[in-house]
Amino acid sequence: MTRPDVRSMSAEELCALMESMGEKKFRASQIFSWVHARRARSFGEMTDLSAALRARLAETCDLTVLSCEDRLVSKLDGTEKYLFALPDGNVIESVLMLYRYGASVCLSSQAGCRMGCSFCASTMNGLARNLTAGEMLEQIYRAGEISGKKIGHAVVMGSGEPLDNYDNLVRFLRLLSAPEGAGLSLRNVTVSTCGLVPEILRLAQEKFQITLALSLHAPNDDLRKKLMPVANKYPLADVLAACDAYFEATGRRVTYEYSLIRGVNDGPAEIRQLASLLRGKNCHVNLIPVNPVEEKTQAPTDPARAAQIKQELEKCGISATIRREMGRDIQGACGQLRRSWIQAEKREGGGGQ
């Protein structure tokens, strides 16, 4: 029988747990505070609980804690990348980025990914499993602990497709924003998706004040199918309609992520199509020079062309920025550090996940 993970439990679930143990309900709020506000690493740290209750919790429940297997710090911009080990031996990666407005953590939602996007390292070893809400939260908690930074923003944009792990994502968002816990404003959270239409529509009905970021990367179905297998299931018209529905339900403008791949999707014809596709929408386009992956051939658009594309979109009334490249000297692209670890494990006979 699976033991409950206290890091993933809601306040209501903790209340039910305490009642089942014959404890007063207020113990649940104490535990919740220890787990999320004080980021406890063990039940033993919860010193305002009785020794007997702490022992019983340790005997019957888990408290997810990630261990940092590797930490890389960029000499270029101070970006920090972490390789975290999960309790079952899988590994994931997270990135801490420093901006003028503060520190942000880019976290993974799955160990690996099954979406198969042609330019991404995360998907190259397939999907190992979904992450729990506690494992997602832990990436933020431990990044803050290791770096000594106060984390004020989060982007669920690391390895994995967040909406492919929908229930755990929603639980994570509720726990992250709980005032008695981490209390992070969901206005400071971005969730990325490659375009799972039913889940976008479900997320719209949650009415979270998060920013939805669609991984667009192509202005037409034919090219998108070559870059992103998910496009074979969900055509652009349906994906864009779902994004429009998200905006209508939440009032939050959608960000369209567009990885600039030299000679693939950055030509005049593709950019005209992109402008036509998004003209008139209350949206923002994030242009991303693709981060080179050793095993793949795609190269980033040169900076001058990227700047030209930005200007062309703005002339059409479309808000656009070029994403600041961060952590390139520390395998900054999604999945690169994890893949390097897996390859090393295989060479050494460890059979990494």
Side-chain angles (χ1 to χ4, degrees):
M1 186 174 179
T2 304
R3 288 156 54 104
D5 171 28
V6 172
R7 189 86 68 188
S8 297
M9 295 176 72
S10 67
E12 293 75 17
E13 289 167 337
L14 283 171
C15 279
L17 178 66
M18 290 298 97
E19 284 190 298
S20 72
M21 291 183 173
E23 297 283 345
K24 300 291 187 182
K25 283 187 177 182
F26 77 88
R27 295 297 183 196
S29 61
Q30 289 177 302
I31 295 170
F32 194 92
S33 177
W34 274 107
V35 169
H36 299 292
R38 302 167 79 172
R39 286 86 189 277
R41 298 176 64 95
S42 71
F43 294 115
E45 295 177 32
M46 302 178 186
T47 50
D48 54 0
L49 305 182
S50 68
L53 177 54
R54 282 179 275 160
R56 191 170 180 190
L57 286 169
E59 289 170 3
T60 59
C61 301
D62 291 325
L63 178 60
T64 292
V65 177
L66 303 185
S67 62
C68 187
E69 298 298 305
D70 199 2
R71 176 193 186 193
L72 305 176
V73 181
S74 172
K75 295 179 181 178
L76 301 177
D77 52 37
T79 297
E80 298 191 15
K81 190 160 194 175
Y82 312 106
L83 185 72
F84 288 122
L86 304 176
D88 63 359
N90 275 293
V91 293
I92 55 173
E93 56 187 65
S94 314
V95 182
L96 179 138
M97 300 163 290
L98 303 177
Y99 295 98
R100 290 190 302 274
Y101 54 74
S104 176
V105 171
C106 179
L107 61 124
S108 296
S109 56
Q110 297 176 310
C113 184
R114 64 173 178 165
M115 294 297 115
C117 298
S118 68
F119 47 84
C120 183
S122 297
T123 195
M124 293 177 71
N125 288 95
L127 174 66
R129 69 169 175 84
N130 287 329
L131 300 187
T132 66
E135 289 166 338
M136 296 170 71
L137 288 163
E138 264 289 278
Q139 295 172 68
I140 297 173
Y141 297 169
R142 296 310 145 208
E145 178 186 68
I146 294 166
S147 67
K149 304 291 185 182
K150 179 178 174 58
I151 310 302
H153 294 74
V155 290
V156 192
M157 205 176 283
S159 294
E161 163 56 55
L163 298 190
D164 193 34
N165 186 16
Y166 186 88
D167 290 340
N168 284 319
L169 172 71
V170 168
R171 179 177 286 266
F172 157 78
L173 292 170
R174 295 193 191 284
L175 289 170
L176 180 66
S177 59
E180 63 273 28
L184 189 66
S185 170
L186 291 186
R187 289 182 173 272
N188 294 340
V189 177
T190 297
V191 173
S192 175
T193 178
C194 65
L196 304 187
V197 169
E199 285 73 23
I200 293 174
L201 296 174
R202 283 181 68 190
L203 189 64
Q205 296 310 307
E206 304 282 356
K207 303 294 178 69
F208 290 131
Q209 287 296 293
I210 61 173
T211 296
L212 180 70
L214 176 74
S215 294
L216 182 58
H217 308 317
N220 60 68
D221 282 314
D222 288 342
L223 180 54
R224 200 162 189 263
K225 287 175 183 178
K226 294 177 182 177
L227 297 175
M228 306 173 70
V230 71
N232 289 287
K233 186 171 184 179
Y234 301 115
L236 262 178
D238 293 348
V239 174
L240 294 176
C243 289
D244 289 344
Y246 183 86
F247 172 72
E248 289 297 323
T250 65
R252 302 285 290 173
R253 75 174 183 174
V254 175
T255 294
Y256 291 93
E257 307 278 338
Y258 196 90
S259 289
L260 292 169
I261 308 171
R262 188 187 307 165
V264 175
N265 65 355
D266 63 349
E270 287 79 22
I271 301 308
R272 281 196 298 270
Q273 283 184 309
L274 177 63
S276 177
L277 199 68
L278 300 180
R279 187 182 280 110
K281 292 185 182 295
N282 191 334
C283 68
H284 179 79
V285 176
N286 196 7
L287 300 168
I288 311 165
V290 70
N291 214 328
V293 176
E294 183 179 348
E295 297 90 343
K296 297 179 179 291
T297 59
Q298 289 100 331
T301 299
D302 67 76
R305 175 57 182 154
Q308 186 180 46
I309 291 170
K310 176 179 179 291
Q311 290 177 350
E312 290 173 9
L313 293 174
E314 290 174 338
K315 286 179 182 178
C316 295
I318 299 168
S319 171
T321 52
I322 300 172
R323 178 184 288 178
R324 173 183 161 199
E325 295 182 70
M326 303 182 76
R328 176 161 288 196
D329 59 327
I330 56 168
Q331 304 181 86
C334 291
Q336 285 184 301
L337 182 57
R338 177 177 181 269
R339 179 161 172 77
S340 297
W341 183 90
I342 290 172
Q343 290 173 324
E345 284 287 293
K346 287 180 177 178
R347 285 195 299 269
E348 295 171 8
Q353 302 298 307

